[in-house]
Amino acid sequence: DVKVTQSSRYLVKRTGEKVFLECVQDMDHENMFWYRQDPGLGLRLIYFSYDVKMKEKGDIPEGYSVSREKKERFSLILESASTNQTSMYLCASSLSRGRDYGYTFGSGTRLTVV
Amino acid sequence: RKEVEQDPGPFNVPEGATVAFNCTYSNSASQSFFWYRQDCRKEPKLLMSVYSSGNEDGRFTAQLNRASQYISLLIRDSKLSDSATYLCVVNKGNNRLAFGKGNQVVVIP
């Protein structure tokens, strides 16, 4: 089974801190994605990447950046954390751009910014 | 119109009953579709892909209606363990998926 591992399950950070959320997948998937999930708003795409060193903005990239230096690792960076970034963050990966590939999600990081 | 629309529910279902729900999608060019299941405070997990001919996996049946742009999921003989949120998912192209907000199902003993 593909495994997507997110480094922290729960995280509490202070406003203004720089926050790094790490995600690693172990099945040589090309695509990786970062979402946030909030009650009533569903899953919203922040950034995604189809290959190493490649990144593309999703629907809500403001206040975030990403890094993909190695194929298996995709990091989400909150440059200066704010309280409205308190959320559940989910990383996902998929094999390639082929149309029938679903995503495998990590178990999520619940981030609280105080 | 939203990319994927679902009635959030909750759908309260007696144990052993059948429940069905639909979702609609806006992009007629969409080519692939999925249902994901998400348990409370857990990550979404792929339940099944949805094919043009419809497909069945045990007690779960998925159907696609391209003309009306909707996807359905039917759960027969509901179990308590089926209580979850079911997310309708549409491939927008280049493996970018659009997620609905989910149908919450509560199976009642």
Side-chain angles (χ1 to χ4, degrees), chain B residues 16-72:
Chain B
T18 295
V19 60
F21 32 83
N22 296 339
C23 86
T24 58
Y25 60 95
S26 60
N27 185 354
S28 60
S30 298
Q31 293 294 314
S32 56
F33 310 88
F34 308 90
W35 282 102
Y36 275 69
R37 171 193 169 126
Q38 186 171 23
D39 294 296
C40 188
R41 303 183 77 83
K42 300 274 188 158
E43 74 274 20
K45 292 185 178 176
L46 180 63
L47 178 67
M48 58 199 305
S49 300
V50 186
Y51 303 117
S52 296
S53 55
N55 48 306
E56 192 173 305
D57 183 2
R59 298 180 293 105
F60 296 82
T61 301
Q63 297 280 352
L64 168 64
N65 185 318
R66 286 192 185 274
S68 301
Q69 292 180 216
Y70 76 81
I71 308 151
S72 64

Side-chain angles (χ1 to χ4, degrees), chain B residues 74-95:
Chain B
L74 183 144
I75 307 174
R76 286 184 300 279
D77 188 23
S78 298
K79 313 289 185 195
L80 296 176
S81 57
D82 295 334
S83 296
T85 297
Y86 292 86
L87 305 174
C88 175
V89 184
V90 175
N91 195 331
K92 302 196 302 181
N94 284 329
N95 200 226

